[in-house]
């Protein structure tokens, strides 16, 4: 292992972010002062479809009680997407 990849517990960031799948909120614990990368190296962007990128991965529910036009516009202004119920 390279010195930057040695960790006491868990995975190095290169393994965590390059493995090809994601974790949920409860799956990952970041220990203070043990993160070996800059916040500038983090990208939250993803693709919702092949041609629709999201720069902030926020998707509001396609339920009529959750997402109406005002909510969809607000979420979109933050880089996410609101899916309007039929």
């Amino acid at each position: 292992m390279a010195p930057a990849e040695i960790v006491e517990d868990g995975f190095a960031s290169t393994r965590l972010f390059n493995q090809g799948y994601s974790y949920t909120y409860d799956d990952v614990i970041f220990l203070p002062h043990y993160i070996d990368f800059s916040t500038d190296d983090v990208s939250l962007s993803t693709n919702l479809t092949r041609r629709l990128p999201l720069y902030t991965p926020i998707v509001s529910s396609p339920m009529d009680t959750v997402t109406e036009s005002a909510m969809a516009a607000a979420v979109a202004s933050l880089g996410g997407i609101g899916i309007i119920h039929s």
Side-chain angles (χ1 to χ4, degrees), residues 27-82:
D27 292 333
V28 179
I29 298 173
F30 291 111
L31 301 174
H33 305 289
Y34 288 92
I35 296 178
D36 61 350
F37 54 89
S38 164
T39 56
D40 293 333
D41 295 334
V42 176
S43 171
L44 297 178
S45 64
T46 190
N47 288 334
L48 187 63
T49 68
R50 278 185 263 168
R51 295 186 296 183
L52 182 59
L54 293 178
Y55 297 103
T56 306
I58 297 174
V59 179
S60 68
S61 176
M63 298 170 56
D64 60 351
T65 57
V66 175
T67 306
E68 293 183 351
S69 61
M71 173 63 87
V75 171
S77 72
L78 298 171
I81 189 167

